[in-house]
Amino acid sequence: MTDCGFVTRQFPSEISLDAAKVYAILTCEAPVGSYVVVDAGGRSYLARISAVRVADIYAVANAPVLTPEQERAVSLRLGPTTAELELISECAGGVCAPPGTPVPIHAPLRRPREGEVVKMLGLPSGGVALGNLALPTGEELRGEEVFLPIDALRHHVLIVGTTGSGKTVLVKEIAYQLARWRAVALDAVGHFYHLAYDGVEVRVVLPVTRRLARRGLRAVARRAAAKAIWRGRGRYRCRAFGRGGVLTRMELEVEAPHGRGRLQVYPWALESGGILYDLPRAIPILSQQARIFYKRVLEEAKRLSGASRVDDLFKFLTSPAEDQRGRPAVMYEKVGASLGLHASTMENIVRALLALVETGLVDVEGPGFKVAEPPYRRALAGYTVVDISGLGTHQQRLVVYRILDAVYKTARPVTAVLIDEAHLFFPQTRNEDEQAFLEAHLTRLTRLGRAKGIAVVFATHMPDDLNDVVIQLANTKIVLRSDPRVLEKLGVPPAERRFLSKAERGVAYVQSYAYRHPIYVKVAKRTTHLG
């Protein structure tokens, strides 16, 4: 127990409906944001230093300094260091609550004992470990471990931070702890393979394009091994398994300077029979009108052409034809006229089919093998990385929306979905049809998914590009170093923005319904991080 000062008589000790504060004379070094405990008989108050002042006797007396020479000639006579304390909690008999009674004048201040701040803040004692409690300056409070309850995860989390702030490290730390249940990480860079070096059994859903498949099984295996080894030298062994000509699974063992790891790789591609009727839920291109008539157009095109693959249907709909008057036309115009549909609706449907074809992820075949969707209950069990790195934006979105559909259908408590670079998949948009598409996915995944045990962690370094619905849905916000304008948008108080705009790597400001007060955390780094 270290004496740190006492409550001063110079200012009133104030408790009101709006604020709870007191002023103290400090006898120890305590930066702004520090926690102190005020002991008052059978009660203890947890307080946070919100301002520190030190003044010369001239300033205290309001005496003017006439000249610079006079300023320098008179020796300094500093008064005591005073601090404004924000009262956070009042504890008596082991029970802590918001402050309700004034702090006695001359009550002593002391530094908190180890673990005392977490207890007085009423922070949860279990869940996902975020790190240790910290001060705005970045100083870590040892022995004050902070947890985010699983229930708070199910009310969804938004992590925001600039490049290099520690955002991805935090997401991976959360993934590592959730791997014992079920965690699905959407990986746009290739960072999430590396938990294999920490003893985690990693499953990888690996989208295989037609171009990659044409290069053969070795190329598919090398693609996964390169991400696991990262940017260094290493070796790997691979065993491939198939059934009925379909490549179903690959067992990958890698050895790199970082260690050894085992991965179960599930090659992934779509088949026309599985995706054509689900296209309105997989691609945000179709207008509301086109969604209504899409199935009818598809069935008519299949009936007229006899085709069932997306490539053949697209070729049929864009092939030359004659209209009812014998004039040259395109087949989709003729089909649309027979169904009484406007040409723009048909063009929208044809563009959606073209977008699907151009992803190169449908009806994928290689030398002696085909690629299809894996059995999701097996592929998404435990800790799964969905590797969408190296794909274009439209390819990534197709994979993500399809996988999220599968996560919803196969969810079990607890199922965590970790979406790094979330602005790529749930962007801000002014297009009403695209907004409706995104809101439908978000509603299903978050609001309906919560009842099935789905917890979503969104992470982004570009919150301005992130759909506002995501910001509204996340009941826990973890903010690392960010631009002041971003901090304002996220509702961070002005007093905290000065620190967060220049915070060191791994320092996070956490607001959650699970905590009585916002806190700072120094993220703990326990797992392998490459890149």
Side-chain angles (χ1 to χ4, degrees):
M1 185 184 303
T2 304
D3 178 64
C4 212
F6 56 88
V7 175
T8 179
R9 70 175 73 182
Q10 296 180 35
F11 304 95
S13 174
E14 179 184 350
I15 299 286
S16 70
L17 294 175
D18 298 322
K21 61 183 178 180
V22 70
Y23 295 85
I25 291 177
L26 293 183
T27 58
C28 66
E29 287 190 16
V32 168
S34 299
Y35 294 100
V36 292
V37 175
V38 185
D39 288 320
R43 297 178 180 274
S44 296
Y45 296 83
L46 179 67
R48 184 172 180 248
I49 297 176
S50 54
V52 178
R53 300 181 184 90
V54 61
D56 180 76
I57 195 69
Y58 268 64
V60 174
N62 254 347
V65 177
L66 300 179
T67 65
E69 290 76 14
Q70 181 185 2
E71 166 78 26
R72 300 295 296 272
V74 179
S75 61
L76 289 174
R77 297 185 64 186
L78 298 178
T81 300
T82 59
E84 179 182 293
L85 308 182
E86 174 196 4
L87 297 175
I88 296 175
S89 60
E90 178 180 350
C91 304
V95 178
C96 296
T101 57
V103 178
I105 301 300
H106 288 174
L109 274 63
R110 61 174 173 83
R111 297 185 189 277
R113 305 182 187 95
E114 186 173 303
E116 191 173 16
V117 177
V118 164
K119 184 178 179 180
M120 294 183 79
L121 282 171
L123 296 181
S125 58
V128 173
L130 299 179
N132 281 328
L133 206 62
L135 304 184
T137 56
E139 181 183 342
E140 187 174 356
L141 304 183
R142 300 290 181 182
E144 304 279 3
E145 192 166 17
V146 175
F147 295 91
L148 187 66
I150 298 299
D151 186 61
L153 281 172
R154 281 197 288 261
H155 284 78
H156 315 305
V157 178
L158 173 63
I159 301 175
V160 175
T162 58
T163 302
S165 64
K167 168 178 57 68
T168 301
V169 169
L170 175 56
V171 178
K172 286 179 67 176
E173 292 294 339
I174 293 173
Y176 177 69
Q177 296 175 69
L178 294 175
R180 59 195 170 108
W181 287 301
R182 189 191 193 198
V184 180
L186 304 180
D187 191 356
V189 179
H191 286 150
F192 289 84
Y193 278 74
H194 308 139
L195 294 187
Y197 298 120
D198 297 297
V200 175
E201 184 180 346
V202 177
R203 293 169 173 82
V204 179
V205 172
L206 182 68
V208 178
T209 62
R210 290 179 174 181
R211 182 178 179 182
L212 178 60
R214 284 196 296 267
R215 292 161 54 193
L217 285 174
R218 287 182 180 273
V220 176
R222 277 198 304 270
R223 173 73 172 75
K227 288 297 179 182
I229 294 170
W230 198 235
R231 296 168 183 165
R233 293 185 177 181
R235 298 182 299 176
Y236 71 91
R237 293 171 55 191
C238 180
R239 294 177 61 197
F241 300 85
R243 178 178 293 178
V246 177
L247 178 62
T248 56
R249 182 170 60 93
M250 306 175 85
E251 288 185 358
L252 199 63
E253 296 181 16
V254 295
E255 185 176 345
H258 342 292
R260 296 182 178 183
R262 295 171 61 90
L263 304 97
Q264 299 284 337
V265 180
Y266 292 87
W268 183 97
L270 297 166
E271 294 177 293
S272 289
I275 188 59
L276 274 172
Y277 284 97
D278 286 343
L279 190 60
R281 287 216 317 268
I283 291 183
I285 291 178
L286 293 171
S287 65
Q288 185 176 0
Q289 185 83 352
R291 288 173 187 275
I292 294 171
F293 294 104
Y294 171 78
K295 184 177 179 181
R296 190 174 171 189
V297 170
L298 183 62
E299 289 175 343
E300 182 68 7
K302 291 176 75 172
R303 184 184 69 81
L304 293 173
S305 67
S308 59
R309 289 167 60 111
V310 62
D311 305 61
D312 298 329
L313 287 168
F314 174 74
K315 289 176 183 176
F316 168 73
L317 287 171
T318 54
S319 63
E322 291 184 350
D323 64 15
Q324 295 174 343
R325 298 180 182 179
R327 295 178 299 186
V330 183
M331 184 57 71
Y332 71 77
E333 295 175 329
K334 185 174 180 179
V335 172
S338 70
L339 297 175
L341 300 179
H342 195 275
S344 63
T345 300
M346 292 300 300
E347 288 168 358
N348 188 220
I349 291 173
V350 170
R351 280 199 304 273
L353 291 174
L354 175 60
L356 185 61
V357 170
E358 290 192 336
T359 63
L361 289 167
V362 185
D363 300 323
V364 173
E365 298 182 8
F369 68 93
K370 295 190 296 184
V371 182
E373 290 182 89
Y376 285 117
R377 290 193 181 277
R378 179 180 296 178
L380 300 180
Y383 174 67
T384 304
V385 176
V386 181
D387 182 3
I388 51 176
S389 63
L391 298 179
T393 301
H394 291 299
Q395 293 171 314
Q396 288 181 337
R397 290 187 183 183
L398 175 64
V399 175
V400 166
Y401 301 143
R402 188 68 169 179
I403 291 292
L404 292 182
D405 253 4
V407 168
Y408 179 83
K409 292 173 182 175
T410 62
R412 62 169 189 260
V414 173
T415 298
V417 180
L418 309 159
I419 308 178
D420 202 7
E421 309 297 340
H423 59 278
L424 296 176
F425 319 115
F426 298 105
Q428 193 71 272
T429 178
R430 295 181 180 178
N431 183 292
E432 291 183 4
D433 294 320
E434 185 177 9
Q435 181 66 17
F437 175 91
L438 295 174
E439 286 186 9
H441 270 282
L442 285 168
T443 297
R444 190 171 192 232
L445 182 67
T446 57
R447 294 195 173 114
L448 301 180
R450 184 186 305 157
K452 302 183 73 171
I454 295 177
V456 187
V457 178
F458 300 95
T460 181
H461 68 282
M462 299 178 69
D464 284 340
D465 294 341
L466 183 66
N467 200 287
D468 286 339
V469 175
V470 174
I471 298 175
Q472 295 163 12
L473 284 169
N475 285 299
T476 296
K477 294 180 176 65
I478 302 177
V479 186
L480 296 101
R481 185 176 64 246
S482 298
D483 184 88
R485 181 177 47 78
V486 169
L487 299 174
E488 182 179 5
K489 179 177 180 178
L490 295 173
V492 176
E496 313 295 350
R497 295 175 202 162
R498 181 170 70 89
F499 294 99
L500 277 173
S501 61
K502 300 177 177 63
E504 64 182 69
R505 182 183 179 93
V507 174
Y509 179 78
V510 187
Q511 295 174 300
S512 175
Y513 82 92
Y515 303 153
R516 295 176 189 166
H517 305 275
I519 57 173
Y520 283 89
V521 172
K522 177 68 174 179
V523 175
K525 185 176 178 180
R526 301 181 178 91
T527 60
T528 302
H529 297 279
L530 305 174

